[in-house]
């Protein structure tokens, strides 16, 4: 049981490039979410999903897209990276809702030049 | 939308001293969760409080949920170097959104 996995661990992008951050969980959790962590800002919710085929926006969704085609996977797409998107990105999952215990992945550190 | 603030932002203590972080929400919460993130790591769930005025203890850690369910605190007695990290509170805005506080980073000097 690997829990929540994220790839890559670290990525450097140039402004304007696109990329997908991968997130997968093997706990059969319905709820999955993406957070970004910046110094002094805590963890801010980007997008979340309450089940396969259902996604919605969080606090800071601009510049990011998500999809949830399976229960296990919840990729985060940056369509045109900007330096303001330099951050550490965490994927999390919980059994049913956003009110329950969140299990976090190890994170992806992204640097946009 | 809902805002969750924590104070202080940073705290440096000598090993053996006590530590407290405070969490304040702009709205009434159905529950409050606390997480710990070690340096270079990811947030790990510590505890959830649900009832007004609830107090829970985990060894040297004491968690309180305010009577109005808009604030919470985490108190660590006699800190150890293993307590180093950032402590986050988090409250649900609704059933789908869990909003995290800004975090308190604790440094413990031996």
């Amino acid at each position: 049981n690997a829990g929540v996995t994220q790839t890559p661990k670290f990525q450097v992008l140039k402004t304007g490039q696109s990329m997908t951050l991968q997130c997968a969980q093997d706990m059969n959790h319905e709820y999955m979410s993406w957070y970004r962590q910046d110094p002094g800002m805590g963890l801010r919710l980007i997008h979340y999903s309450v089940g396969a085929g259902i996604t919605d926006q969080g606090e800071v969704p601009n510049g990011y897209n998500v999809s949830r085609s399976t229960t296990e996977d919840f990729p985060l797409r940056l369509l045109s990276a900007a330096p303001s998107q330099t951050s550490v990105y965490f994927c999390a999952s919980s059994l049913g809702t956003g009110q329950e215990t969140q299990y976090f992945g190890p994170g992806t550190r992204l640097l946009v030049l | 939308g809902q805002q969750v603030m924590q104070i202080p932002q940073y705290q440096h203590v000598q090993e053996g001293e006590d530590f407290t972080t405070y969490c304040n929400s702009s709205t009434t919460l159905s529950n409050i969760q606390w997480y710990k993130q070690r340096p270079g790591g990811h947030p790990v769930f510590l505890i959830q409080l649900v009832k007004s005025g609830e107090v829970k203890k985990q060894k040297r850690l004491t968690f309180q949920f305010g009577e109005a369910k808009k604030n919470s605190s985490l108190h660590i007695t006699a800190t150890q170097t293993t307590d180093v990290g950032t402590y986050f509170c988090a409250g649900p805005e609704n059933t789908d959104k869990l909003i995290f506080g800004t975090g308190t980073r604790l440094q413990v000097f031996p």
Side-chain angles (χ1 to χ4, degrees):
Chain A
N1 198 331
V4 180
T5 57
Q6 291 183 238
T7 56
K9 289 184 179 180
F10 182 73
Q11 183 73 47
V12 179
L13 289 179
K14 294 181 180 178
T15 297
Q17 286 185 318
S18 63
M19 81 159 294
T20 299
L21 280 63
Q22 302 291 344
C23 174
Q25 53 89 13
D26 61 359
M27 298 177 283
N28 203 29
H29 283 175
E30 288 295 325
Y31 184 91
M32 296 185 75
S33 59
W34 278 100
Y35 289 88
R36 60 176 289 174
Q37 182 174 26
D38 304 291
M41 304 290 287
L43 294 154
R44 292 182 292 171
L45 181 65
I46 304 172
H47 284 286
Y48 64 94
S49 168
V50 299
I54 306 169
T55 64
D56 208 341
Q57 297 181 348
E59 302 171 273
V60 288
N62 292 340
Y64 307 95
N65 278 355
V66 292
S67 60
R68 184 95 181 270
S69 57
T70 66
T71 299
E72 293 78 20
D73 301 296
F74 191 42
L76 178 72
R77 296 184 187 85
L78 283 70
L79 300 178
S80 179
S84 61
Q85 293 179 305
T86 293
S87 187
V88 180
Y89 292 86
F90 288 101
C91 178
S93 73
S94 67
L95 190 60
T97 73
Q99 294 195 68
E100 300 169 15
T101 302
Q102 302 296 309
Y103 296 86
F104 282 83
T108 293
R109 188 173 297 272
L110 177 67
L111 175 62
V112 182
L113 301 175
Chain B
Q2 177 182 293
Q3 291 187 334
V4 181
M5 302 297 293
Q6 283 182 253
I7 54 171
Q9 190 173 9
Y10 302 101
Q11 184 81 58
H12 297 170
V13 299
Q14 202 76 32
E15 189 172 22
E17 291 181 337
D18 292 356
F19 159 78
T20 303
T21 173
Y22 299 92
C23 174
N24 292 286
S25 170
S26 58
T27 61
T28 301
L29 301 170
S30 59
N31 69 72
I32 191 92
Q33 300 177 28
W34 284 92
Y35 291 76
K36 177 183 178 180
Q37 182 181 25
R38 295 184 186 275
H42 59 275
V44 175
F45 174 79
L46 291 176
I47 206 162
Q48 182 183 67
L49 305 172
V50 179
K51 299 176 183 177
S52 170
E54 188 171 13
V55 178
K56 286 189 176 181
K57 291 189 176 184
Q58 287 181 350
K59 296 183 180 178
R60 295 177 295 102
L61 277 61
T62 302
F63 303 85
Q64 291 189 328
F65 200 9
E67 293 290 341
K69 301 184 77 173
K70 293 183 70 174
N71 58 75
S72 181
S73 65
L74 159 59
H75 179 82
I76 302 178
T77 303
T79 54
Q80 300 176 358
T81 54
T82 54
D83 295 324
V84 165
T86 301
Y87 293 84
F88 292 99
C89 63
E93 183 172 292
N94 51 43
T95 56
D96 298 333
K97 291 184 183 180
L98 187 64
I99 305 301
F100 278 76
T102 45
T104 295
R105 194 169 85 185
L106 173 64
Q107 181 64 262
V108 180
F109 294 107

